[in-house]
Amino acid sequence: MKVAFVLSGGGSLGAVQVGMVRALYSRSIRPDLYVGSSVGALNAVFLAARPASRPSVDRLAALWCDVRRRHIFPLRPLTGFLGFFGARNHLVPQQPLRRFLEHVLDLDRLEQAPTPVHVVATELFTGRERLLSRGPAVEAVLASVALPGILPPVRWAGELLGDGGVSNNTPLSHAVQLGAREVYVLPAGGACERLGLPGSALGMLMHAVALMQLRHLMAEVRRLRGDVRLVVVPPPCPQSVLPSDFRHADRLIQAGEESTHHHLDAVEAGLAEPAALFGPPEDDNTRWPVIQAPSAPPHGR
């Protein structure tokens, strides 16, 4: 049975996926393919280029713990000024992120990955999804994370591409189309139930976008849950970290690992359905449920 890991977008909350993958690897659950969108594309390409092993995921964890927003989204007054007044279509220069990706991604082209990896981006004129399976790995990830208005779009095969989260933040439908019959969905949890509404304008905007992305994922799960085995790994909730805050990676990684073990233990014990995160099909609640993860990883792991 072909197994896929689907990794969503979510900014700095992408650190949660590192813990999720660590927990899955520890249970000998390994993918035959990865599909990623936005920051999930970065995680997916990084992992696909390496053996599905604890050292690989530990290396990704170390990367997340070292990175800060200034490494990826540095503020440049001139760029921001020109973008704000319409002389440019973005506020943050691309070069720092490009240098970061060139440093951390040990992969020249997507099709060279030992484990197949596919990256979702958005064609900015029409809003259509683009599944990138071949081509330069750094360019593909740059396109998938290029949040419109913040980062410049990436030209790919004559099109201008931007953030995959705009069209499909958690592209599990692509995993099914690629032949996966068992799909582990690893959402970063941007719309996770919060301890309170964000206090900043940027935080409120990102929270609203995450709510829209969550509703799309809910519809996808309901549509596909009868066709393949879906395991939707719940992110740790409630969540107080904003997707723009890169200072809490270590805590997010640990919480992602714990919540994954907690959910899979409950599934094995018959206490939870693999894709029951969203409740029964008629439930239209858009909030993530609060997941009470254990305070430490289960004994022996």
Side-chain angles (χ1 to χ4, degrees), residues 235-247:
C237 290
Q239 185 57 264
S240 59
V241 179
L242 290 175
S244 57
D245 189 348
F246 286 82
R247 298 172 298 171

Side-chain angles (χ1 to χ4, degrees), residues 53-67:
S53 64
R54 177 65 183 250
S56 296
V57 77
D58 285 350
R59 185 175 175 186
L60 181 58
L63 183 157
W64 269 100
C65 290
D66 287 342
V67 75

Side-chain angles (χ1 to χ4, degrees), residues 138-150:
V138 168
E139 294 297 316
V141 176
L142 275 174
S144 190
V145 304
L147 186 65
I150 304 299

Side-chain angles (χ1 to χ4, degrees), residues 191-193 211 214-219 222 276-290:
C192 173
E193 183 172 288
L211 285 173
L214 175 57
R215 292 188 67 86
H216 181 271
L217 176 57
M218 291 173 67
R222 291 168 180 166
L277 176 64
F278 303 98
E282 68 273 15
D283 183 7
D284 196 36
N285 189 347
T286 60
R287 297 187 304 167
W288 297 92
V290 176

Side-chain angles (χ1 to χ4, degrees), residues 5 15-27 29 184-188 231-237 252-268 272-274 291-294 296-298 301:
F5 284 6
V16 168
Q17 295 169 345
V18 182
M20 292 174 171
V21 172
R22 180 182 281 165
L24 293 170
Y25 282 2
S26 75
R27 292 171 178 255
I29 302 171
Y184 288 83
V185 182
L186 311 183
V231 180
V232 183
V233 180
C237 290
L252 291 171
I253 292 168
Q254 181 179 1
E257 183 175 6
E258 292 173 357
S259 66
T260 302
H261 280 306
H262 183 59
H263 180 65
L264 295 181
D265 285 341
V267 170
E268 291 173 2
E273 292 295 325
I291 305 299
Q292 298 296 336
R301 296 196 178 101

Side-chain angles (χ1 to χ4, degrees), residues 116-260:
V117 61
H118 308 269
V119 170
V120 171
T122 303
E123 202 283 306
L124 293 178
F125 283 104
T126 65
R128 294 173 181 167
E129 300 171 35
R130 291 291 183 259
L131 186 67
L132 311 180
S133 303
R134 302 178 62 85
V138 168
E139 294 297 316
V141 176
L142 275 174
S144 190
V145 304
L147 186 65
I150 304 299
L151 286 163
V154 172
R155 187 166 294 280
W156 185 286
E159 295 181 330
L160 286 179
L161 302 185
D163 196 327
V166 172
S167 57
N168 196 344
N169 194 54
T170 312
L172 66 95
S173 58
H174 288 293
V176 175
Q177 292 166 4
L178 290 164
R181 307 312 299 166
E182 184 172 353
V183 181
Y184 288 83
V185 182
L186 311 183
C192 173
E193 183 172 288
R194 301 183 53 81
L195 298 174
L197 286 175
S200 67
L202 177 61
M204 284 294 290
L205 175 61
M206 298 183 76
H207 181 65
V209 170
L211 285 173
M212 291 187 290
Q213 292 169 338
L214 175 57
R215 292 188 67 86
H216 181 271
L217 176 57
M218 291 173 67
E220 288 282 87
V221 169
R222 291 168 180 166
R223 182 172 66 88
L224 296 170
R225 68 196 309 171
D227 299 331
V228 297
R229 182 174 188 264
L230 287 179
V231 180
V232 183
V233 180
C237 290
Q239 185 57 264
S240 59
V241 179
L242 290 175
S244 57
D245 189 348
F246 286 82
R247 298 172 298 171
H248 307 284
D250 187 61
R251 175 160 62 89
L252 291 171
I253 292 168
Q254 181 179 1
E257 183 175 6
E258 292 173 357
S259 66
T260 302

